[in-house]
Amino acid sequence: MQHSFKATLFFVVIIIQGFLFCAWIFIYRGIGQLKIDKVTHSWETIEKKFSKIKDGHHCPENCKARQKVAIIIPFRDRENQLRVFLNHMHPILMRQQLEYGIYVVEQSKGLEFNRGFLFNVGFKEALKDSDYECFILHDVDLLPENDYNTYTCSTDHPKHLTAGIDKWNYKMLYTSYFGGVSGMTREQYEAINGFSNSFFGWGGEDDDLYNRVIWSKMSVYRIINDAGKYTSLQHKQAVGNSKRFEVLKTGKERMWKDGLNTLKYNLLQKTYKQLYIHLTVNVT
């Protein structure tokens, strides 16, 4: 199999101002391609495999991570996919020597699924636990195919990690596509007032988020090589939001009237499980 780049990864420790910081050196002679395991392993098997992870949070043992990263996953009725996701993602995040927490934010039954709202809740609740600097906004049905796709944020621009997805032949759907997996610093997320809370059903919230980035005079940094490829897990297609285009038209005028600063929710439960933090919420 041919790859657009070859690399071998070496881990080193750098001492800066009295701290041991994790760092990576890339020498181009190996590959970062991963085997995708789609088997739905039991919770017992996965928890035993990652026994060092506690309360959904992990720190490097011998150094201080350069960023604290919160992985936020909007969720409803996809337990099998969650097990596959956690089994795949924890080894990647641990090898990248990140300090991270995984937040699975589940919307209670009733209203149509609201992905943007759940990301906003995850952002707020994660900051109650730690001073996270980077927020990775991640769909549960996407698995990175290459561990050179680093799960950190750029302080210059929001980051789009999903260069291509297998079900779309690894092609971008359109030039402003900002869905799948993206990363923002706390400052960037607050500067755009987070996601809109107005998109119920499938579609629209990512396009609105992209517009907010542009309106805030930022641009999107994209992973454009093989490291940005993802495998998708099969699932039943969600019901589309027939009103999404109408809501998108009013995006600019709603930007500071609809988002983090207007977020209202009931936190029904917050449980620190071994492999992730599980939140259940409803819209108020």
Side-chain angles (χ1 to χ4, degrees):
M1 181 180 292
Q2 296 296 317
H3 297 272
S4 62
F5 67 91
K6 293 184 177 181
T8 297
L9 186 65
F10 296 93
F11 174 69
V12 297
V13 172
I14 297 177
I15 301 177
I16 302 176
Q17 295 181 346
F19 291 101
L20 295 176
F21 282 90
C22 305
W24 300 101
I25 295 176
F26 292 88
I27 300 175
Y28 290 92
R29 23 179 145 137
I31 58 173
Q33 192 72 24
L34 300 171
K35 179 181 178 181
I36 305 297
D37 180 6
K38 294 185 180 181
V39 175
T40 306
H41 298 284
S42 69
W43 283 116
E44 182 181 11
T45 298
I46 305 171
E47 289 171 354
K48 184 177 180 181
K49 181 178 178 180
F50 303 112
S51 59
K52 291 185 178 180
I53 298 173
K54 306 295 182 185
D55 298 327
H57 182 267
H58 179 73
C59 286
E61 293 182 349
N62 300 312
C63 58
K64 178 180 173 63
R66 289 185 171 275
Q67 287 187 342
K68 287 185 178 181
V69 182
I71 316 291
I72 304 175
I73 303 166
F75 184 81
R76 180 188 267 175
D77 297 332
R78 293 196 186 175
E79 182 183 328
N80 287 346
Q81 289 190 348
L82 179 60
R83 282 190 267 171
V84 175
F85 177 88
L86 294 171
N87 187 57
H88 184 76
M89 286 304 306
H90 275 300
I92 296 172
L93 300 171
M94 294 169 78
R95 283 196 298 272
Q96 292 183 2
Q97 292 289 322
L98 300 174
E99 179 177 351
Y100 68 91
I102 296 181
Y103 290 81
V104 176
V105 190
E106 181 171 8
Q107 184 175 331
S108 63
K109 306 294 183 182
L111 295 174
E112 288 184 287
F113 191 68
N114 190 323
R115 182 171 172 269
F117 161 78
L118 295 175
F119 277 132
N120 285 343
V121 172
F123 178 85
K124 291 279 193 180
E125 290 295 324
L127 285 172
K128 293 178 182 179
D129 292 343
S130 186
D131 55 341
Y132 289 107
E133 304 153 286
C134 173
F135 296 82
I136 302 294
L137 314 169
H138 209 304
D139 286 342
V140 73
D141 62 337
L142 292 178
L143 307 177
E145 297 182 4
N146 193 305
D147 61 4
Y148 291 121
N149 191 349
T150 53
Y151 273 55
T152 55
C153 292
S154 166
T155 56
D156 296 323
H157 302 287
K159 182 178 178 181
H160 191 216
L161 287 77
T162 322
I165 301 174
D166 60 346
K167 67 180 179 180
W168 297 325
N169 296 315
Y170 301 106
K171 303 295 184 183
M172 289 284 289
L173 289 178
Y174 43 91
T175 55
S176 61
Y177 176 65
F178 198 37
V181 185
S182 57
M184 295 190 193
T185 64
R186 176 178 180 174
E187 292 76 15
Q188 290 162 358
Y189 199 79
E190 291 176 339
I192 64 171
N193 199 23
F195 275 85
S196 164
N197 300 309
S198 298
F199 290 87
F200 289 88
W202 181 85
E205 75 284 341
D206 287 324
D207 295 324
D208 188 82
L209 189 75
Y210 178 86
N211 291 338
R212 290 179 179 220
V213 169
I214 301 305
W215 291 329
S216 300
K217 302 193 183 303
M218 293 185 282
S219 58
V220 173
Y221 167 71
R222 298 189 188 278
I223 306 296
I224 58 174
N225 56 26
D226 284 353
K229 290 183 175 181
Y230 281 75
T231 291
S232 60
L233 300 175
Q234 289 186 347
H235 61 87
K236 182 180 179 181
Q237 181 64 50
V239 178
N241 177 0
S242 60
K243 298 181 180 179
R244 64 185 182 276
F245 298 110
E246 295 177 24
V247 181
L248 278 168
K249 289 179 182 178
T250 62
K252 196 166 188 178
E253 65 187 69
R254 282 186 298 97
M255 183 169 171
W256 291 105
K257 300 176 184 177
D258 172 22
L260 282 177
N261 63 351
T262 60
L263 181 66
K264 295 180 181 179
Y265 62 96
N266 285 330
L267 181 61
L268 304 179
Q269 65 90 23
K270 186 174 185 178
T271 305
Y272 295 84
K273 300 192 175 185
Q274 180 183 329
L275 301 178
Y276 64 100
I277 300 99
H278 182 206
L279 297 89
T280 304
V281 300
N282 62 19
V283 183
T284 59

